[in-house]
Amino acid sequence: MVSFVGFSNYLLGSQIIPLQLCCADQLGRISGTTMAMGTRSRHPKSLALRCYAASHRSLTLLVWSLAALVILLNFHLLTTGTHREDLSSRAHEIHRSIVRELEEVEEEMFQVKPARSRRNPRAVRRKGEHSKPHSVVDEFLDESSAVHDMFFPETAMDPVHGGNDSMYFYHPGRVWLDTDGKPIQAHGGGVLYDEKTETYYWYGENKDGKTYKAHTKGADRVDIVGVSCYSSKDLWAWKNEGVVLRGEVKNVTHDLYKSNVLERPKVIYNDQTSKYVMWMHIDDTNYTKASVGVAVSNSPTGPFSYLYSKRPHDCESRDMTIFKDDNGKAYLIYSSEDNSELHIGELTDDYLDVTNDMRSFLIAQHREAPALFKFEGVYYMITSGCTSWAPNTALAHAATSIMGPWETLGNPCVGGNDIFRSTTFFSQSTFVVPLPGLRGSFIFMADRWNPSELRDSRYVWLPLTVGGLPDEAADYSFMFPLWPRVSIYWHRRWRLPEGWTDS
Ligand code: GAL
């Protein structure tokens, strides 16, 4: 605003100056003529001279009127500019105070006591009586430890029976019940806002099966159940819309055969074909197929028809996401080359395939679980390290062009304590949801995986803001922050401030 007012004054100023110069020039010539006229005053004035005098008077009038107009215009612009500036700074203040709530830094006094008193008999059988976890993360993953219990509490977020005091409060890590009172099964998921139905849809892996290891050294897994879908108007109370893409129980050659892998499903809407398009990670039990799968539906609540799987750009693809830009172009982002780098490629116009254009980035950085979002023309991404179900440190990245170059900003996690910040609050990124009414504010969606009982993995939803804490930007050049800071704030309990939705 300030620059707008400054700019208009400058423009006016530059008009005033030539105008005044022009007036002075005119007046100079006119007064020269008047002096000449004075010397001849004893003689009757010729018609031409009388006309000249009249035009002199009207020109003077015109000049003064113009000058007055310019002064008035300047004054008007100054006052309305100041008014607009007032309004915008007031709006900014309100916005800041709303967002401040989200940006409160909450410390955690959590102490790590290797409490070995209460041991789960199943864990003892699996790991042996004397097995000792080594680190906090080991404790967290060990279902017999008190640390594990602390991060997987039995308490639930219940949108139906929770009572007024708990309305709209997110409790990261608690069991999250749907509107039927059942735990939400939408892991590694993403959220689509559907403009037609003005509804949010949350898609994710339904992991409601038995956790087992296919091989002694393999990762814990559950058989494919399918992709669940939940709907909500407020991003808090979710109605189960069922399994919208089912696993295959009979055909062993099918990509979705239960012993294979279906992870990280994401859905976007194609405006040209009016189809909802789902992309997902498709793999075999040993994660060697490393492909993406595509499914399509006429409705956000499915059913989705599975189309095919492939290796995009003939490259391995494991953890992945898709991103639809403001201009309708969409992109696939995936971990490749043994998860050592990320790839990005544009989708075809119908979103059913990738085009040939692909760029590699964050090479040799070993990042996965990409979650992309955009703010004020800049693309941001949160990624995790590659440590299977174990939590690790998140990183934020930014780029002015989605195809890169991408730069790494640093760890976005704020609050909690060191171990919280270095483990992404004991979770792994999956998606970032824009909050349309709060510029620069988003929900960071992450999974707190429970490898001993994957169906009981939890959700960690926290506020993410871009541009907060300018003095603590994650990346500097010559002491100046290079990018706005991306921050994810730890909260034990938080809710969306009023006005988060612009409807
Ligand atoms: C993680 C990945 C998850 C899942 C898991 C299996 O690295 O982010 O989506 O694939 O490994 O071990």
Side-chain angles (χ1 to χ4, degrees):
M1 206 59 237
V2 176
S3 62
F4 170 75
V5 172
F7 182 62
S8 2
N9 281 337
Y10 167 72
L11 271 185
L12 274 172
S14 67
Q15 275 168 6
I16 291 167
I17 295 162
L19 190 69
Q20 280 167 345
L21 284 177
C22 150
C23 293
D25 184 42
Q26 293 277 4
L27 283 171
R29 273 196 273 131
I30 291 162
S31 54
T33 317
T34 314
M35 275 175 71
M37 271 163 56
T39 52
R40 292 182 209 139
S41 59
R42 269 169 286 155
H43 305 287
K45 288 173 186 162
S46 72
L47 184 62
L49 272 178
R50 274 203 305 277
C51 286
Y52 202 89
S55 76
H56 169 206
R57 269 196 303 277
S58 52
L59 198 61
T60 312
L61 200 69
L62 185 73
V63 165
W64 282 114
S65 316
L66 270 175
L69 195 71
V70 166
I71 289 166
L72 274 175
L73 201 65
N74 233 344
F75 180 71
H76 171 76
L77 272 175
L78 204 70
T79 48
T80 52
T82 315
H83 182 59
R84 251 182 273 144
E85 223 173 281
D86 277 357
L87 281 183
S88 100
S89 73
R90 176 97 192 96
H92 181 73
E93 231 170 71
I94 294 171
H95 176 81
R96 286 308 318 157
S97 73
I98 291 171
V99 172
R100 202 166 299 134
E101 223 177 275
L102 303 178
E103 292 180 334
E104 248 158 45
V105 178
E106 222 171 274
E107 303 290 342
E108 278 292 339
M109 302 313 288
F110 139 77
Q111 302 274 316
V112 186
K113 296 186 241 111
R116 314 282 305 154
S117 49
R118 201 182 62 74
R119 298 204 65 188
N120 176 327
R122 191 173 145 231
V124 173
R125 264 199 312 278
R126 270 179 1 128
K127 302 200 170 164
E129 188 65 57
H130 302 295
S131 62
K132 270 207 181 90
H134 308 293
S135 66
V136 184
V137 171
D138 289 332
E139 285 267 335
F140 161 83
L141 294 172
D142 178 359
E143 78 260 49
S144 68
S145 86
V147 174
H148 178 87
D149 289 353
M150 196 163 80
F151 287 100
F152 294 92
E154 275 163 23
T155 43
M157 283 162 62
D158 183 346
V160 177
H161 304 105
N164 282 346
D165 285 354
S166 71
M167 279 291 276
Y168 306 120
F169 278 102
Y170 296 102
H171 291 261
R174 280 195 186 173
V175 174
W176 196 341
L177 302 180
D178 63 18
T179 52
D180 297 329
K182 303 235 172 65
I184 292 176
Q185 282 294 333
H187 310 280
V191 168
L192 162 82
Y193 178 70
D194 181 47
E195 289 181 1
K196 287 194 202 167
T197 52
E198 297 184 343
T199 303
Y200 287 94
Y201 294 94
W202 176 5
Y203 302 89
E205 302 159 33
N206 186 317
K207 288 189 139 8
D208 201 2
K210 184 174 171 290
T211 299
Y212 68 98
K213 274 189 196 297
H215 308 285
T216 350
K217 289 198 175 154
D220 291 289
R221 56 163 284 125
V222 292
D223 281 348
I224 298 179
V225 178
V227 177
S228 300
C229 172
Y230 294 82
S231 63
S232 171
K233 295 278 183 191
D234 58 17
L235 290 171
W236 187 74
W238 294 92
K239 174 175 177 285
N240 188 0
E241 300 286 353
V243 177
V244 294
L245 178 69
R246 284 207 171 274
E248 168 63 40
V249 279
K250 288 200 188 114
N251 181 357
V252 291
T253 63
H254 198 285
D255 279 350
L256 304 186
Y257 183 63
K258 59 186 179 173
S259 63
N260 289 330
V261 167
L262 185 179
E263 289 177 343
R264 301 189 174 271
K266 306 285 178 296
V267 175
I268 50 176
Y269 178 68
N270 188 299
D271 305 86
Q272 288 178 28
T273 60
S274 307
K275 303 267 186 209
Y276 296 83
V277 184
M278 180 188 292
W279 283 69
M280 67 211 96
H281 171 193
I282 291 294
D283 230 315
D284 53 28
T285 316
N286 300 319
Y287 289 88
T288 58
K289 187 178 171 86
S291 300
V292 276
V294 185
V296 71
S297 171
N298 291 324
S299 150
T301 53
F304 280 80
S305 315
Y306 186 74
L307 301 180
Y308 70 102
S309 71
K310 75 184 283 188
R311 281 194 163 181
H313 317 108
D314 284 329
C315 295
E316 284 180 350
S317 169
R318 292 195 179 82
D319 277 11
M320 44 66 67
T321 193
I322 46 175
F323 178 77
K324 180 177 169 183
D325 208 341
D326 314 322
N327 59 5
K329 285 185 190 294
Y331 301 83
L332 170 71
I333 299 97
Y334 57 95
S335 295
S336 200
E337 303 297 314
D338 269 330
N339 290 352
S340 65
E341 60 190 42
L342 285 173
H343 289 181
I344 183 161
E346 200 184 317
L347 301 187
T348 51
D349 288 348
D350 57 10
Y351 301 166
L352 300 181
D353 203 348
V354 282
T355 61
N356 291 331
D357 192 16
M358 183 276 280
R359 309 286 156 84
S360 310
F361 64 107
L362 303 185
I363 294 167
Q365 309 280 304
H366 298 271
R367 307 303 298 171
E368 63 176 13
L372 231 109
F373 58 103
K374 187 180 185 182
F375 179 57
E376 289 186 339
V378 178
Y379 300 88
Y380 297 92
M381 185 166 47
I382 309 291
T383 61
S384 78
C386 303
T387 53
S388 185
W389 304 117
N392 55 54
T393 312
L395 286 177
H397 316 269
T400 47
S401 155
I402 193 164
M403 296 297 279
W406 281 87
E407 288 183 29
T408 297
L409 311 184
N411 181 355
C413 297
V414 180
N417 56 27
D418 281 354
I419 184 73
F420 267 55
R421 288 188 290 275
S422 61
T423 57
T424 322
F425 314 113
F426 292 88
S427 67
Q428 184 188 29
S429 46
T430 184
F431 198 77
V432 173
V433 190
L435 296 171
L438 297 178
R439 281 186 59 257
S441 301
F442 302 80
I443 297 180
F444 169 68
M445 284 171 63
D447 296 286
R448 179 172 290 168
W449 300 113
N450 185 354
S452 52
E453 188 63 14
L454 281 163
R455 79 174 103 207
D456 188 34
S457 298
R458 306 291 172 87
Y459 311 101
V460 172
W461 285 29
L462 289 168
L464 178 155
T465 62
V466 182
L469 301 180
D471 51 332
E472 285 180 35
D475 201 9
Y476 288 86
S477 166
F478 297 109
M479 293 162 70
F480 293 111
L482 273 181
W483 300 90
R485 198 193 141 88
V486 175
S487 312
I488 302 169
Y489 292 89
W490 169 249
H491 292 283
R492 277 190 173 198
R493 178 182 191 264
W494 70 285
R495 65 175 163 183
L496 291 171
E498 264 178 49
W500 66 269
T501 170
D502 51 5
S503 57

